[in-house]
Amino acid sequence: MSTLAEAVGKTLAESGIRHAFGVVGGGNILATAALTAAGVHYTAARHEGGALAMADACFRATGDVAICTTTHGPGVTNTVTALADAAKNRSGVVLLCGDAPVSGPRRHDIDQSALMAALGVQVVRLTDPATAREATAAAVRSAREGSRPVALFLPGDLIDRRLPEEDAGPLPDGGPAGEHLTAQAPRGERFVPADQDLIPVLKALAGARRPLVLAGLGAWHSGAGKVLRELGDRFGALFATSVMAGGLFRESSWSLGVCGGFAAPPAAALMGEADVVVAFGASLDNFTLHGGRILDPAATVVQVDISEGAGAPRADLVVRGDASAVAVRLLDAAVAQGPPGSDWRRRCRPALAEVRAGWQGRAHVDLTTADRIDPRTLTQELAGLLPEDRTVVLDGGHFIGWPAMYWPVPDPAGLVFTGAAFQSIGLGLAGAVGAAVGRPDRLTVAAVGDGGALMGLPELDTLVRSKRPALVVVYDDAAYGFEEHMYVPRGADPATTSFADTDFAAVARGLGATAVTVRSPADLAAVRQWREAGCPGTLVLDCKVVADVVAPFLSDLLERA
C-alpha cells in the first residue's frame, strides 16, 4: 500500500508532468521524493517565489503544466508574487504544497485557501485519501485545459496515511505531456458566440478600407495563428501582435510586428492608419495600445476574447469567444459571402521594406562613454551574436524597451516576460531557469535590470547549477531606472531610486558562472567566444549602461505625464 504522498507524486508523473521546481520542507518533502522516484525532473530552487516563477516560465516556454512544490505556511506565502503573476497570465501551473491538518490548524498554520482565493487560484485539498489519485489527476487537467494555476494541498496529518489497495488502479485520464507543446494546443471546450453576435464583426471587416488583425496571447493559446492569417488575407488586412504574442505572424510578409510602444516608427505609423482593428485574444492594455497613442481615435476596435471580464475601454465592440473558433466562423462567412478585400496592402507595400528593417535599420547617436555603453548600441550588437532560435526571458523595468525593440522572437513561446501581468520585478533570473530547463533546444537569453537581478539573485545560483546554456544580460544603471526617469523630475528623492555600483561579474563568478563586465562593444567578444565553445553553462554580462538614455516607450509616456 502506498501513502498519500507517494500516490500523489506518482499520479502527477502519470498525468504527464515532466518538470518540477521547488524548495522542500516537512509539508512536501515526501511527495517530492515520490515525484522524483516516478521520473519527474526536479530542480531545487533557492526560494519558493523563484520556484513558482520557474514553473510559470516552463509553462510559457513549453505549453504544458509544470509543478512548483513547497512546504506549508511560509513556503506558500513566499510564492505569492510569482503566483499572482502566473494567475494573471493564465499559466498552467500546479502548486503542490503542505497544508494544515484536517483535524484542525496548528499555531503556525494560516488559511491558505483564503490566500489562494484572493489570488484567483483554484484549490484542490486532498482531505479524502480514497479519492486522492482522482482529485490529483483532475487538478492537472484543470491547470492544463483551463490554462490557470491550481493549488494542490496536502493536509499535514494525511501525508503518511496509507491508501487502500483497491485505490491503486488505473489512473483517470490526466492527458499526456507532448514534446514542446508550444502553448497553442486546444485547451478544453471552445466557447463560440451565437451567429448574430458575429454579424457586426463581419460587417466591420467587410467595410474596412484599412483593416488590422491584432493577436494576443489568447490567440496563441487557442492555436489561431493559421486561421487568423487566412482571415487577414481574405480581407487584405495587415497583422500585428501584442508583445506577449510576438512572432505569431512572423511568416507573413504583411506583419507589422509588435503593437505598442515597442513598435518601430514605420510600423507604428501604419498601425495608426487602420480604420478597423479586430483584436483576438488580446487584453488591449496600456502596453498594447501604448497608453492610447498607437491607434487612430476614429478607428473601430473589436475585441474577441474568451474572458468574461473582457471589455477594454478602447473596444467599440466586444465578442466573448475563443479566438480560433471565432476566426474560423468569420472566415467561413466571408468565403460564403465573397466580400471584396481591401487594397490597403497594395498601397502600403513601399513602406513595408522599412517596417521589416525594424529598429535595427534605424540609426541612433551612440552615447557610449569611456566607462559606460549606450544600451541601444549594446542591444543592437548583441542581436548579431544571438541565434534566431532563442527564448528571451525578461524581468520588469525600464530596460525592457531595448530587448523588446531589437531582439525579435521566433514565436510567442520564445518570450517569457516575467512580472508583466502583475507589474513586478525580480522574477527574471528564476524565469531563465524554467525556460532553460523546459526548452533546452533553444538558447535562453535573460535580460534583467540591476534592481531585479539583486532582488532575485539567489536563483542565479540555481541557473548555474542547472548546467543549461544561458546568457544573462544585466542592464546595470545602478538605479531603478523606470522610477528614476518617471518620478525624479516630479519631485521624488533620487536617493530612493539610485544605488552604489554592484560588481555583478564578481558575484556571478563566485556562484560558478563565467562573467565579464561590459563597458564597450569590444567587451562583447566574450559572447562570440562563449558561443564558439558551445555555450558552456551560464555567461553573465554585467553591462554598465549609460543611465540617461530613455527608451522610446517611456519617453512617450513622460511626454504625457
Side-chain angles (χ1 to χ4, degrees):
M1 290 192 298
S2 61
T3 65
L4 176 70
E6 292 167 344
V8 167
K10 182 180 179 183
T11 301
L12 288 169
E14 291 174 350
S15 295
I17 299 297
R18 292 181 297 163
H19 296 291
F21 308 84
V23 178
V24 293
N28 70 318
I29 192 167
L30 296 179
T32 302
L35 276 174
T36 58
V40 175
H41 179 268
Y42 177 73
T43 300
R46 289 301 188 184
H47 188 277
E48 292 88 352
L52 200 292
M54 292 173 197
D56 182 8
C58 189
F59 166 79
R60 300 194 207 192
T62 67
D64 203 21
V65 177
I67 295 288
C68 168
T69 179
T70 76
T71 191
H72 51 263
V76 174
T77 58
N78 274 350
T79 69
V80 167
T81 297
L83 184 56
D85 190 53
K88 292 181 181 296
N89 192 66
R90 291 154 64 176
S91 295
V93 174
V94 172
L95 171 61
L96 173 67
C97 56
D99 194 16
V102 293
S103 58
R106 299 156 295 196
R107 289 190 54 160
H108 59 274
D109 285 317
I110 62 170
D111 189 343
Q112 296 181 176
S113 295
L115 179 60
M116 294 298 111
L119 300 175
V121 175
Q122 177 187 350
V123 172
V124 176
R125 192 165 187 259
L126 301 180
T127 57
D128 183 0
T131 61
R133 297 180 76 245
E134 181 179 356
T136 299
V140 176
R141 284 198 304 273
S142 183
R144 179 175 286 132
E145 296 173 2
S147 290
R148 59 179 176 178
V150 177
L152 188 62
F153 288 171
L154 306 176
D157 53 354
L158 297 184
I159 291 174
D160 291 318
R161 182 72 60 87
R162 295 284 174 179
L163 271 64
E165 195 66 42
E166 57 266 26
D167 289 321
L171 171 70
D173 181 25
E179 186 66 24
H180 307 317
L181 291 186
T182 72
Q184 59 176 339
R187 299 175 181 278
E189 184 178 354
R190 296 183 183 275
F191 183 87
V192 184
D195 287 342
Q196 60 266 28
D197 293 335
L198 298 181
I199 293 175
V201 185
L202 191 62
K203 184 177 179 180
L205 279 170
R209 296 179 58 224
R210 298 175 300 279
L212 178 68
V213 172
L214 173 61
L217 196 59
W220 169 249
H221 281 168
S222 73
K226 182 176 184 294
V227 69
L228 287 180
R229 286 192 294 272
E230 293 175 358
L231 182 67
D233 290 344
R234 182 74 189 181
F235 286 100
L238 300 183
F239 300 107
T241 71
S242 68
V243 65
M244 294 297 211
L248 185 61
F249 298 127
R250 190 182 186 195
E251 297 177 359
S252 174
S253 58
W254 306 106
S255 174
L256 302 178
V258 171
C259 183
F262 303 141
L270 285 175
M271 294 174 197
E273 291 182 16
D275 62 346
V276 173
V277 180
V278 185
F280 291 86
S283 62
L284 297 179
D285 59 14
N286 276 336
F287 264 113
T288 302
L289 298 185
H290 194 30
R293 299 169 62 98
I294 199 73
L295 301 180
D296 184 346
T300 298
V301 179
V302 181
Q303 184 184 27
V304 179
D305 197 87
I306 195 67
S307 301
E308 291 186 35
R314 184 64 178 86
D316 302 296
L317 174 64
V318 178
V319 176
R320 182 173 176 241
D322 174 83
S324 182
V326 171
V328 167
R329 295 276 289 279
L330 290 172
L331 180 60
D332 289 345
V335 171
Q337 294 180 15
S342 163
D343 68 345
W344 192 24
R345 288 181 173 182
R346 178 186 59 80
R347 289 183 282 115
C348 69
R349 187 187 297 272
L352 287 174
E354 193 176 3
V355 167
R356 282 190 286 274
W359 286 102
Q360 285 284 13
R362 300 185 69 82
H364 64 269
V365 177
D366 189 355
L367 299 179
T368 297
T369 67
D371 62 348
R372 290 199 168 267
I373 187 169
D374 186 313
R376 297 165 297 184
T377 303
L378 165 70
T379 316
Q380 278 188 315
E381 292 285 336
L382 278 171
L385 298 173
L386 303 178
E388 289 190 11
D389 200 18
R390 59 195 178 223
T391 304
V392 175
V393 180
L394 299 182
D395 205 337
H398 166 242
F399 74 91
I400 61 172
W402 313 123
M405 289 161 58
Y406 294 109
W407 298 345
V409 292
D411 53 42
L415 177 68
V416 177
F417 193 169
T418 67
F422 195 45
Q423 299 293 285
S424 63
I425 70 170
L427 303 178
L429 291 173
V433 177
V437 168
R439 290 301 300 264
D441 58 315
R442 287 181 167 177
L443 177 64
T444 297
V445 183
V448 298
D450 54 293
L454 288 169
M455 195 177 291
L457 189 59
E459 304 313 343
L460 178 58
D461 169 75
T462 309
L463 183 60
V464 172
R465 283 188 288 106
S466 77
K467 301 187 184 304
R468 300 299 206 276
L471 176 66
V472 177
V473 183
V474 183
Y475 286 81
D476 185 1
D477 62 356
Y480 290 134
F482 188 97
E483 287 72 19
E484 181 99 351
H485 296 304
M486 177 67 80
Y487 296 108
V488 169
R490 295 162 61 181
D493 182 354
T496 65
T497 62
S498 59
F499 306 91
D501 187 59
T502 300
D503 190 346
F504 284 99
V507 172
R509 284 191 288 266
L511 293 174
T514 303
V516 296
T517 301
V518 176
R519 300 183 185 275
S520 73
D523 297 322
L524 296 176
V527 179
R528 186 176 293 106
Q529 295 164 3
W530 177 72
R531 288 203 61 198
E532 290 173 351
C535 303
T538 301
L539 172 61
V540 175
L541 305 180
D542 181 7
C543 304
K544 306 301 185 183
V545 298
V546 176
D548 55 1
V549 178
V550 182
F553 86 94
L554 183 54
S555 62
D556 286 346
L557 294 177
L558 291 173
E559 288 178 8
R560 301 186 64 195

